[in-house]
Amino acid sequence: GVGPSLIRLAAPGFRFRFHPEFRLRSLLRRRRMAAAAGTARQAGAAPRVGLLYDQRMLAHAPAGKKEKETPERLRAIWRKLAAEGVTSRCVGMRAKVAKEKYIASVHARKHVDLIRKISSKDSSDLKKTAKKFDSVYFSKGSSESAFLAAGSVIEVAEKVAAGELSSAIALVRPPGHHAEHSKPMGFCLFNNVAIAANYLLNERPDLGINKILIVDWDVHHGNGTQNMFYSDPRVLFFSVHRYDYGRFYPYEADASHVFIGDETGRGYNINVPWEHAKCGDADYVAAWDHVLLPVAEAFDPDIILLSAGFDAARGDHMGDCCITPNGYALLLTKLLGFAKGRIVMALEGGYNPESIANSVCACAKVLLGDKFTLNSPEMQPFESTWRVIQMVRDELKTYWPVLSSKLPENVSLRSTPSY
């Protein structure tokens, strides 16, 4: 069997006891991460991290108190970043309205027209229209906020792709990854990340972005993003989410691991579907080390777009998972070794103001090059996590031979939580 081994990762001062799959791959990954970090900091320069925040996106607001997706989410993040001195260290950016032609590249014209006109309706019509869709609300500020959110992710992605920024964070709302081609869904009006990905691939060939890795760590499956690139081998879509055998939102079978893409895109859609709540740092690290990172190495993306939902964070009762702020920091650190560290974080879910603020702050500090230490009480993944990872690897090994090898044996695992 493979015993535990102490691995020092790229984040200075960080140590985490875990079971690596391949010592050599771990070594090569660390060297690549160090090289990327060196490139970003050459000549002693600090990384240029873009931070986009615009109060106009607070105008999308629910009429009642029962909604979870509220303006307070952004306010809490901004207060935390300001208090920690992060805002002054980043390159501040203001939102831009997306052009309709870019939104229409992934959404039906009827859908674009609906969102553009929705805020002109009176309150009764807003409620009536919202009831036609799954888990959305509309307000007088919804139209502008949606166009700003989409435009913001385009803006930061363009600047990172062009090398003007090392990486960037787009604090946007409403979120986007549930929005389908023809309908809003799950708090999402436009699919912000999908719009930005399509823009880079099809509108700006001069930037040299030919392959995009989209990582969706929101606790819910990124159904909209999956469907938009399901047959496109230029986009590797990876979503790790609660599935609960189809009993967790969005309650759709295509969040299963057997949905791997279609036509020339087969193998480029990867779902890691957790079977229950309470997954934490060790479970996500296992998914990274044994699925995402080996495939990302082979895919070799030109940029990474991160659908950064934080509803799998400890304290967020909607997701009921247990990722710590520094757990998110570690997941992000592991991605910095790819695409020369060019990462765009676009906010998705996350509904506990304290949890989302602490998690975003930890990620921002990673992009800025700060040290962090992981102190996680759950140092072993669940038995179910190991089983899911094996199923995912078996489903994909034909397309990604790097997944054909055996997982480590004699790994210390936790039993499935009881309810």
Side-chain angles (χ1 to χ4, degrees), residues 82-277:
E84 293 287 329
V86 170
T87 55
S88 61
R89 299 170 60 196
C90 294
V91 179
M93 303 174 68
R94 197 161 184 262
K96 287 187 177 181
V97 173
K99 292 182 179 179
E100 287 195 17
K101 66 176 182 178
Y102 301 144
I103 299 174
S105 68
V106 302
H107 288 293
R109 172 56 61 182
K110 184 177 180 181
H111 177 82
V112 179
D113 291 343
L114 168 71
I115 303 304
R116 174 167 41 81
K117 297 175 182 178
I118 193 66
S119 292
S120 62
K121 297 179 179 289
D122 60 35
S123 58
S124 61
D125 283 341
L126 289 173
K127 292 180 181 179
K128 189 182 301 182
T129 304
K131 287 181 179 179
K132 296 178 182 178
F133 302 104
D134 178 5
S135 306
V136 299
Y137 70 81
F138 298 119
S139 72
K140 291 295 184 181
S142 296
S143 296
E144 183 181 33
S145 295
F147 276 85
L148 286 169
S152 296
V153 183
I154 290 175
E155 177 74 4
V156 298
E158 186 175 42
K159 290 191 179 301
V160 172
E164 296 177 33
L165 297 170
S166 308
S167 57
I169 303 170
L171 300 178
V172 296
R173 56 178 298 276
H177 71 149
H178 291 310
E180 296 276 9
H181 173 69
S182 302
K183 63 181 180 181
M185 176 181 173
F187 305 150
C188 303
L189 303 189
F190 289 142
N191 197 313
N192 307 315
V193 165
I195 293 167
N198 189 79
Y199 175 82
L200 293 179
L201 290 170
N202 298 320
E203 300 292 338
R204 292 298 309 272
D206 56 300
L207 294 176
I209 302 299
N210 300 309
K211 293 185 292 182
I212 296 178
L213 169 60
I214 298 178
V215 176
D216 189 333
W217 69 31
D218 189 283
V219 79
H220 304 97
H221 179 234
N223 57 286
T225 312
Q226 169 174 297
N227 291 334
M228 289 171 179
F229 299 107
Y230 204 60
S231 301
D232 193 338
R234 300 175 301 170
V235 175
L236 175 62
F237 176 65
F238 174 91
S239 178
V240 55
H241 48 269
R242 276 189 65 182
Y243 180 54
D244 298 24
Y245 304 99
R247 296 191 295 270
F248 196 75
Y249 192 87
Y251 314 111
E252 295 177 355
D254 62 5
S256 164
H257 70 287
V258 301
F259 285 79
I260 61 171
D262 199 9
E263 300 174 354
T264 57
R266 285 188 68 79
Y268 291 89
N269 192 87
I270 302 177
N271 287 322
V272 179
W274 299 144
E275 296 177 351
H276 52 73

Side-chain angles (χ1 to χ4, degrees), residues 14 61 75 84 86 106 116 215 255 277 360 367 373 376 381 388 404 413 419:
F14 172 80
R75 293 192 187 102
E84 293 287 329
V86 170
V106 302
R116 174 167 41 81
V215 176
V360 172
L367 297 179
T373 303
S376 179
V388 167
S404 299
L413 302 170
Y419 297 95

Side-chain angles (χ1 to χ4, degrees), residues 40-55:
R41 293 163 177 76
Q42 60 184 339
R48 284 176 55 82
V49 180
L51 178 60
L52 190 148
Y53 172 78
D54 196 311
Q55 291 188 349

